[in-house]
Amino acid sequence: MKKSFLLMYAMVIIFTIACQPSAHQTEAVESTHSSFTTSGEDIELLKRFINSFVSGDWETYRSCLADSVYYGHNIWLNDDLAKTPSDIIVENHRLAREERWDGMSVNPDAIYEVVTDDNGNKFGHVWCQLSTLSRTTGNDISITLFGSYWIKDNKIHSEWALYDRSTLE
């Protein structure tokens, strides 16, 4: 019994010491200004952006964008990429949406998050499933989409979307 008590006492001391943050860990936590959220005005911006594309509400879709946007689908975005005027992006998306697909919906459990880095830059991320009907083939289509968006002043300043193009028809 005495051995069991000493063993238990030693384990309590070891776990107590092991669970204490080191000075280095505490300093790192206190010095960061980064954050992560799944709610708030930036999340609502992302939801408004995705839902307006799905519903074909191009006025609302355009209102979510800055005047020009770094824009790329299924490419690696880099510093050499030029900004594209938002009116051109909206028109391209409108044409693709209206010519290729009949109706569209987004899964209700889509994931929306915004990460703010130590410099205050905000990056929104969306994981969703878009469902539609192909106007050309009549096939049901399910598009798994990952989108990354640079958000500044409650506007989207970049769109980087990744999805499987082979599922579009």
Side-chain angles (χ1 to χ4, degrees), residues 80-158:
D80 297 334
L81 189 66
K83 285 186 170 183
T84 302
S86 293
D87 291 337
I88 291 173
I89 293 170
V90 171
E91 185 62 13
N92 289 344
H93 283 171
R94 184 189 68 76
L95 286 173
R97 166 87 170 66
E98 292 176 0
E99 291 176 0
R100 292 183 183 169
W101 303 308
D102 188 18
M104 187 173 277
S105 63
V106 63
N107 59 316
D109 58 346
I111 301 167
Y112 298 87
E113 71 174 25
V114 173
V115 176
T116 304
D117 70 15
D118 284 341
N119 297 318
N121 297 306
K122 294 181 182 183
F123 300 96
H125 303 118
V126 177
W127 292 263
C128 66
Q129 191 80 30
L130 302 175
S131 299
T132 187
L133 181 69
S134 170
R135 288 186 188 268
T136 56
T137 66
N139 293 335
D140 287 326
I141 298 172
S142 183
I143 305 163
T144 300
L145 168 74
F146 169 74
S148 181
Y149 307 90
W150 173 35
I151 300 170
K152 182 179 175 185
D153 301 325
N154 205 33
K155 296 284 185 182
I156 293 171
H157 288 257
S158 76

